[in-house]
């Protein structure tokens, strides 16, 4: 009888440890790749307010969105990106992606920061930190409350891949759980 108790307890401990290892190995972190488009960029995402996530996703799908775009140019090197990429174009392109319904009152607000990578910044010491051209940070808000935030790098110095990054960010926001 004692032998069977030891076997059952040992089996329980083994299953518990194996389950914990499996959970840790398959755990998604900030750099996880949930959506296919995320495989092509370095990205970070975070759900800040899970209760409002469903409301945000409904707003994105219905086009009930306002957008504000700001730019951060490089300071140590001559800015070149914004000769090719305009804040107004980013805003218009994002609104087209969500099929903005102009008659609908916006329930969501998306703040987009386009950041130009300053490759001559003395704080950037590694070659890897100088590979990308910039990144987009999209903050998705409902009633001034941050719900979801995503940052995705783009590689082209003329911003030719910014549209793809916008599409990826929107797809990521629509599909996160």
């Amino acid at each position: 009888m004692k032998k069977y108790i030891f076997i059952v307890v040992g089996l329980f401990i083994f299953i518990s440890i194996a389950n914990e290892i499996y959970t840790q190995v398959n755990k998604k972190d900030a750099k996880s790749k949930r959506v296919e488009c995320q495989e092509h960029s370095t990205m970070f995402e975070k759900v800040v307010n899970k209760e409002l996530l469903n409301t945000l996703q409904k707003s994105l799908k219905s086009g009930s969105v306002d957008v504000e775009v700001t730019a951060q140019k490089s300071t140590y090197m001559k800015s070149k990106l914004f000769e090719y990429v305009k804040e107004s174009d980013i805003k218009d392109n994002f609104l087209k992606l969500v099929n903005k319904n102009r008659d609908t009152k916006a329930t969501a607000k998306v703040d987009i920061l386009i950041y130009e990578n300053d490759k001559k910044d003395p704080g950037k010491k590694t070659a890897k930190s100088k590979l990308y051209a910039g990144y987009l940070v999209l903050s998705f808000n409902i009633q001034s409350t941050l719900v979801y935030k995503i940052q995705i790098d783009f590689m082209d110095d003329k911003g030719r891949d910014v549209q793809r990054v916008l599409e990826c960010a929107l797809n990521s926001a629509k599909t996160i759980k």
Side-chain angles (χ1 to χ4, degrees):
M1 180 73 170
K2 263 184 166 179
K3 181 178 178 183
Y4 292 114
I5 293 175
F6 284 122
I7 291 174
V8 170
V9 170
L11 192 58
F12 176 76
I13 291 171
F14 174 77
I15 290 173
S16 298
I17 291 171
N19 184 46
E20 187 61 31
I21 291 170
Y22 176 81
T23 302
Q24 290 300 319
V25 167
N26 293 306
K27 183 177 167 182
K28 294 188 183 230
D29 64 4
K31 287 187 173 185
S32 65
K33 310 292 185 190
R34 299 180 302 102
V35 182
E36 191 272 329
C37 66
Q38 294 173 346
E39 296 291 331
H40 308 291
S41 300
T42 300
M43 59 84 50
F44 304 94
E45 64 181 348
K46 182 176 183 180
V47 175
V48 179
N49 187 319
K50 201 163 181 110
E51 292 79 34
L52 292 174
L53 189 58
N54 192 36
T55 304
L56 171 68
Q57 290 172 332
K58 285 180 183 176
S59 297
L60 293 173
K61 288 177 184 168
S62 71
S64 172
V65 177
D66 277 335
V67 178
E68 187 175 315
V69 180
T70 55
Q72 185 171 341
K73 297 179 179 182
S74 59
T75 54
Y76 294 97
M77 68 178 209
K78 183 180 181 217
S79 179
K80 294 180 184 175
L81 177 67
F82 296 102
E83 294 173 15
Y84 307 99
V85 177
K86 305 289 180 234
E87 293 170 54
S88 59
D89 292 341
I90 291 174
K91 180 177 181 175
D92 292 343
N93 289 340
F94 189 83
L95 290 173
K96 285 177 189 171
L97 287 172
V98 295
N99 297 316
K100 170 72 172 151
N101 182 348
R102 302 254 182 233
D103 298 331
T104 305
K105 184 180 178 198
T107 55
K109 183 172 182 235
V110 181
D111 295 312
I112 302 173
L113 167 67
I114 181 165
Y115 174 86
E116 182 177 25
N117 186 14
D118 197 339
K119 296 175 183 178
K120 293 193 176 179
D121 182 345
K124 296 191 182 210
K125 306 222 187 277
T126 66
K128 189 176 180 182
S129 67
K130 298 176 185 180
L131 290 176
Y132 64 96
Y135 58 83
L136 294 179
V137 178
L138 289 86
S139 301
F140 295 83
N141 303 282
I142 297 289
Q143 301 168 351
S144 301
T145 301
L146 180 60
V147 178
Y148 174 70
K149 192 169 192 171
I150 185 168
Q151 174 183 319
I152 305 181
D153 293 352
F154 58 91
M155 303 305 284
D156 188 80
D157 288 330
K158 293 182 180 178
R160 290 182 282 241
D161 53 348
V162 168
Q163 182 66 22
R164 177 188 58 78
V165 170
L166 276 176
E167 290 172 12
C168 186
L170 180 61
N171 190 25
S172 297
K174 285 180 175 180
T175 58
I176 196 157
K177 297 191 187 309

